Amino acid sequence: MYPLPPQSLPQMLSVDKVIPVIQGIIADREAIRESVVSKVTPETATFGNVIQPWLDEENMNQGAETLIDMYRYAGPNKAIRDAAEEATRLMSESHAKLMRRHDLYLLVKAVADRDDSPNEECRKAVKDMLREYTNVGYGKLSSQQIERLLNARQTISQLCQEFNQNLREKTKGLWFTPDELDGVPVQEIEHRMPVGRNEVYIDLGNRADRLLVQRFAHSSATRKRLYLENEQKLWENVPLFKKVLVVRDENARLLGYKSHAEFKLQDRVAASPESVDEMLGAMRQKVLPLGKRAMEKLKTIKKTHLGSHLPPEEDEILPWDYFYYMRLLEEETQVDHEVVAEYFPLQNTVLKMLGLFASFLQLKFVSIPPEALTGSTWHEDVKGWSVWDERPEHKGEFIGYLFSDILYRDGKYKGNQNVNLQASYIKPDGSRVLPATILMCNFSPSAVTGCALLKHSEVVTLFHAFSELGHGIHDLLSRTLHTRYHAWRVPVEFGEALSTMLENWCWDKTTLHAMSCHYTTAGPDFLNQWKAQNPQTSPPAERIPDKLLDRLIGERYLNRALQILKQTADSIFDMTIHNPASHDELVQLDETELYNVLYEELTLRRNPEPSTWGPAHCHFGHLMSGYDAGYFAYLSAQVFAADFYETAFAANPSCQNTWDRYRRVILEAGGSRDESKIMEEFLGHLPTPNALVRSLGLQ
């Protein structure tokens, strides 16, 4: 038995408390700055009397601040989500106000010049704080120019908020008749059909709904209608997107950078826009031939499927064909992904993943009873665990809290992510505040089974999300001095590499077999329902059969090249719009046309009717949520992850010594050290693309 955790569960806020709490944090922050200014001059400024009080305040208030930020993504009702958005706006205004303080800049500059920080993490804090001020023009611009730039930054923040709020809340749906959905499992149709209406509503904001139609509907016209309607959504985001690009570019050029991309790469592992472009060009050159070969297979499937009924103008894989014929190709390889999904019921798979990481990292996850979570969760779907150390020398030490919020609901963030609820840090008395983290996904129960089932691609997503439990595990195991460097607060490509590496275990036969469990074993109701749907058939095996598993693993690279090409298209778009040759070129740029041209060229799914192109780039929330001039990180992360896996784990994926070193060198360091040095220490060399190239069969 484990004792009660020494740290209380996080406590939720009611909607009427959100704004007062954020106003209190703002007041604390501003008061501490005022206190420092009143007591310290540039001549007497030290790390201890300037930077340390600011870091202490960040640490103390970070839990409430991140809780409010979480409500933006998963608040149980619109009122609290709106309050959290308003709180974010107030915090942004306060930050802009503090950035206007020339006296604060002079103190930080004096500390940087004195260089008396007690350790590497503290030196990094001074460097980053100084860069915050130089990034708004101190030491470069006049006071009038600084004011202009700060106002522009505030404009960008407000526009990004509006963009993402539209993305979450202004997506509509479509009605289809059962005939139009011929091919979609009958139970899925019945599940979505309101009483008294002979039509089915497909929510365009729900990827599972869209894929259901795209994968199964026999009618090309139905798939086309869904695709085009989805492409045409969110036109209201087009002017917001353009305005953000223009203002970002103006700000970067005002500061003396040639583009927003050059400005942003200060915070990345990548050295320059040119180095990123070189990497993307290499990916395009090496992977496009593989993508074309994969697409030829799909074209053959389509021709066989339609025969003489194939119109000449459709002798390609059209955008609304891709998922349908990919499913038929999967069936040709004798992998029935619907059957595979039956062996990965969502809740059981999460528990098995916890067990897997518990084994690798010597942890213990203890389920928290629902009654003990009262007041500490934001929705009835949320589950929680206390996490404990199992390493012999640390056995029984409390690690932190993990929460899961993994089912779809209206108004919730539509993607999969890790959300930090409390970062770890050292208090002034030397004790440590331990972390709390959330695995947040959007999976829907199957109408056929009544149980949320994961296709293998979603198992991969969940593994990735688990470093969203690798970001979540990173969150739990990071042990930095200050919250600003906790866990995944690192350059994007480094943080994503830790998630991406974990996907390798999704293709390991031993791991998948151990994780599998047919959903009918979850309870007698599921088994009875299955028997009613499959009369005179023996119950399925409890674990996924070896033959099905072998076929699944053999399919690993079936569409990997096409997936990488999609990421390459998104990354090239991101770098193109954020690294124009001139500001005038950006002003004249048609982002909708650019995105569609790149997408069709690199994904090889060509819409024969360009007049129907929609603003698909305005569904691309990453570029308004911190990944601007950084989406290439997902490809860089694959380079780093492939080297991590090949160098350290491939020979023995469960080696305890390797996992322990990974925990100490990579995870515990968070963002407190130079990431290139961390990777070199762990690997014995700096990462190269060679391992990724080998994994794709390109050598």
Side-chain angles (χ1 to χ4, degrees):
M1 291 292 292
Y2 282 81
L4 290 174
Q7 183 173 305
S8 300
L9 284 158
Q11 294 300 298
M12 299 298 104
L13 295 173
S14 59
V15 64
D16 60 307
K17 294 290 197 303
V18 170
I19 299 302
V21 166
I22 210 72
Q23 288 172 333
I25 293 173
I26 289 169
D28 282 349
R29 193 153 297 173
E30 293 177 356
I32 285 170
R33 265 56 170 188
E34 284 295 342
S35 176
V36 168
V37 167
S38 70
K39 298 174 183 175
V40 181
T41 66
E43 291 72 27
T44 61
T46 66
F47 178 88
N49 61 24
V50 174
I51 306 300
Q52 188 66 57
W54 299 2
L55 292 173
D56 289 343
E57 179 276 319
E58 285 181 7
N59 293 343
M60 178 181 67
N61 284 318
Q62 184 268 349
E65 195 173 343
T66 52
L67 171 62
I68 291 170
D69 193 55
M70 179 275 291
Y71 282 142
R72 296 167 60 206
Y73 301 103
N77 55 61
K78 190 173 186 305
I80 202 162
R81 292 194 297 271
D82 287 348
E85 290 288 356
E86 173 64 10
T88 300
R89 185 188 67 78
L90 293 173
M91 184 59 76
S92 178
E93 285 183 356
S94 170
H95 184 70
K97 178 181 174 182
L98 293 175
M99 288 294 100
R100 287 177 165 85
R101 296 285 300 269
H102 186 258
D103 50 356
L104 297 179
Y105 158 68
L106 292 176
L107 293 179
V108 176
K109 177 71 165 56
V111 175
D113 291 342
R114 185 181 295 271
D115 192 19
D116 67 339
S117 301
N119 53 57
E120 183 177 358
E121 182 175 336
C122 292
R123 280 192 295 277
K124 192 172 185 182
V126 175
K127 177 184 173 183
D128 290 345
M129 285 185 182
L130 180 60
R131 190 164 62 195
E132 280 191 80
Y133 282 99
T134 58
N135 278 352
V136 298
Y138 287 101
K140 301 177 182 179
L141 305 179
S142 68
S143 58
Q144 292 85 358
Q145 288 173 313
I146 291 171
E147 185 67 19
R148 169 186 154 193
L149 190 142
L150 286 167
N151 288 334
R153 274 184 151 193
Q154 193 64 25
T155 297
I156 290 172
S157 177
Q158 292 165 359
L159 292 168
C160 287
Q161 275 188 257
E162 186 178 349
F163 180 99
N164 285 309
Q165 196 161 5
N166 289 342
L167 200 57
R168 289 196 303 272
E169 299 178 2
K170 291 195 175 180
T171 299
K172 57 182 179 178
L174 289 174
W175 291 94
F176 292 96
T177 67
D179 286 346
E180 289 174 315
L181 295 178
D182 181 40
V184 175
V186 173
Q187 297 94 329
E188 295 285 0
I189 293 175
E190 292 174 347
H191 173 66
R192 289 167 170 78
M193 187 179 293
V195 175
R197 183 163 183 169
N198 193 36
E199 286 184 303
V200 174
Y201 185 75
I202 299 297
D203 180 1
L204 295 179
N206 185 340
R207 186 171 185 269
D209 271 20
R210 297 198 309 271
L211 280 177
L212 188 68
V213 177
Q214 290 168 334
R215 281 175 61 83
F216 290 99
H218 294 322
S219 168
S220 175
T222 294
R223 300 194 307 268
K224 178 179 179 180
R225 180 183 162 211
L226 178 91
Y227 172 82
L228 293 180
E229 196 70 31
N230 189 59
E231 292 296 291
Q232 293 289 332
K233 71 188 181 185
L234 292 170
W235 281 102
E236 56 264 62
N237 273 352
V238 172
L240 303 178
F241 192 95
K242 184 69 169 188
K243 180 67 173 175
V244 169
L245 294 189
V246 169
V247 178
R248 282 174 177 165
D249 192 70
E250 288 172 345
N251 285 356
R253 293 177 191 277
L254 182 62
L255 288 167
Y257 295 94
K258 69 176 185 179
S259 68
H260 179 69
E262 186 179 64
F263 170 75
K264 285 290 286 189
L265 288 183
Q266 298 176 89
D267 299 323
R268 310 291 191 217
V269 176
S272 67
E274 291 73 24
S275 67
V276 175
D277 289 342
E278 184 179 347
M279 184 268 289
L280 295 176
M283 296 300 289
R284 183 182 204 157
Q285 180 184 8
K286 291 181 178 181
V287 182
L288 195 55
L290 282 179
K292 289 178 178 177
R293 269 187 277 169
M295 196 58 80
E296 286 301 318
K297 292 181 182 178
L298 292 182
K299 288 182 184 179
T300 300
I301 295 284
K302 182 176 180 179
K303 289 175 184 176
T304 302
H305 179 66
L306 294 179
S308 60
H309 302 291
L310 182 64
E313 67 273 13
E314 291 196 13
D315 188 22
E316 288 202 45
I317 296 300
L318 306 174
W320 46 88
D321 286 336
Y322 177 74
F323 291 103
Y324 184 79
Y325 290 107
M326 183 57 73
R327 176 179 64 85
L328 295 186
L329 178 59
E330 290 163 359
E331 290 176 1
E332 191 175 84
T333 61
Q334 297 183 302
V335 178
D336 187 331
H337 281 267
E338 307 309 311
V339 174
V340 171
E342 292 182 6
Y343 286 93
F344 295 99
L346 175 60
Q347 300 293 354
N348 177 76
T349 303
V350 170
L351 293 177
K352 292 295 179 70
M353 284 185 179
L354 289 176
L356 188 69
F357 284 102
S359 170
F360 289 162
L361 292 160
Q362 299 183 78
L363 301 172
K364 179 77 172 178
F365 294 87
V366 179
S367 179
I368 301 172
E371 60 273 15
L373 289 172
T374 302
S376 295
T377 59
W378 49 99
H379 193 272
E380 61 186 10
D381 291 343
V382 176
K383 301 181 185 300
W385 293 265
S386 58
V387 187
W388 303 83
D389 208 325
E390 286 281 276
R391 293 176 298 175
E393 66 275 25
H394 297 282
K395 190 172 177 64
E397 292 180 10
F398 181 60
I399 294 291
Y401 290 108
L402 171 69
F403 296 91
S404 71
D405 183 1
I406 53 181
L407 294 176
Y408 172 85
R409 60 179 179 269
D410 288 341
K412 182 182 170 188
Y413 177 71
K414 298 299 191 290
N416 305 301
Q417 63 176 345
N418 169 249
V419 176
N420 175 253
L421 198 56
Q422 169 63 63
S424 181
Y425 66 92
I426 298 290
K427 294 165 70 175
D429 65 6
S431 62
R432 178 173 287 281
V433 172
L434 294 162
T437 192
I438 309 165
L439 176 65
M440 190 178 291
C441 300
N442 247 296
F443 297 112
S444 300
S446 162
V448 177
T449 65
C451 180
L453 305 177
L454 298 175
K455 294 181 176 60
H456 182 258
S457 61
E458 293 171 322
V459 174
V460 174
T461 295
L462 198 59
F463 254 84
H464 187 94
F466 258 87
S467 209
E468 298 278 356
L469 206 204
H471 292 313
I473 289 294
H474 203 182
D475 218 348
L476 286 168
L477 297 181
S478 177
R479 291 297 180 263
T480 56
L481 299 174
H482 305 293
T483 58
R484 67 163 48 211
Y485 297 115
H486 177 77
W488 38 260
R489 292 163 173 83
V490 295
V492 176
E493 60 265 54
F494 178 71
E496 289 298 334
L498 309 186
S499 306
T500 303
M501 186 194 73
L502 296 179
E503 294 174 11
N504 286 285
W505 279 263
C506 301
W507 300 98
D508 177 73
K509 184 175 181 178
T510 301
T511 299
L512 285 172
H513 191 271
M515 284 175 51
S516 69
C517 176
H518 199 272
Y519 78 90
T520 54
T521 65
D525 290 345
F526 292 125
L527 180 59
N528 292 335
Q529 182 180 355
W530 187 91
K531 287 179 176 178
Q533 293 167 348
N534 301 272
Q536 301 180 332
T537 305
S538 300
E542 180 179 350
R543 303 280 186 182
I544 189 168
D546 283 348
K547 185 180 291 187
L548 182 56
L549 202 49
D550 289 337
R551 289 171 181 161
L552 174 69
I553 292 169
E555 190 190 71
R556 177 172 188 178
Y557 299 107
L558 187 65
N559 67 341
R560 180 87 185 275
L562 293 172
Q563 292 169 347
I564 288 178
L565 286 169
K566 167 66 167 64
Q567 288 183 319
T568 303
D570 286 336
S571 301
I572 291 173
F573 174 77
D574 176 27
M575 289 303 292
T576 302
I577 62 176
H578 287 119
N579 192 38
S582 69
H583 187 71
D584 286 343
E585 179 183 287
L586 176 63
V587 171
Q588 298 301 318
L589 181 65
D590 183 335
E591 291 81 22
T592 298
E593 180 180 13
L594 173 66
Y595 187 83
N596 282 284
V597 168
L598 280 170
Y599 184 87
E600 294 191 6
E601 178 188 345
L602 287 171
T603 68
L604 306 170
R605 307 175 216 169
R606 295 190 175 91
N607 181 352
E609 306 167 30
S611 63
T612 64
W613 282 347
H617 64 290
C618 288
H619 315 163
F620 198 0
H622 287 76
L623 303 190
M624 301 291 129
S625 304
Y627 279 71
D628 43 299
Y631 195 79
F632 70 87
Y634 286 105
L635 289 171
S636 294
Q638 293 190 57
V639 170
F640 299 164
D643 208 334
F644 280 158
Y645 184 73
E646 182 181 90
T647 300
F649 291 99
N652 185 355
S654 59
C655 175
Q656 202 77 78
N657 288 337
T658 304
W659 278 102
D660 185 60
R661 196 164 65 86
Y662 180 74
R663 175 173 175 173
R664 287 183 290 102
V665 176
I666 301 288
L667 299 179
E668 291 184 358
S672 65
R673 297 177 55 206
D674 179 270
E675 290 73 24
S676 294
K677 291 179 181 177
I678 290 175
M679 289 191 284
E680 187 169 14
E681 179 181 342
F682 183 71
L683 295 170
H685 59 264
L686 288 171
T688 73
N690 297 337
L692 178 61
V693 170
R694 283 190 287 271
S695 77
L696 291 173
L698 297 174
Q699 278 186 344

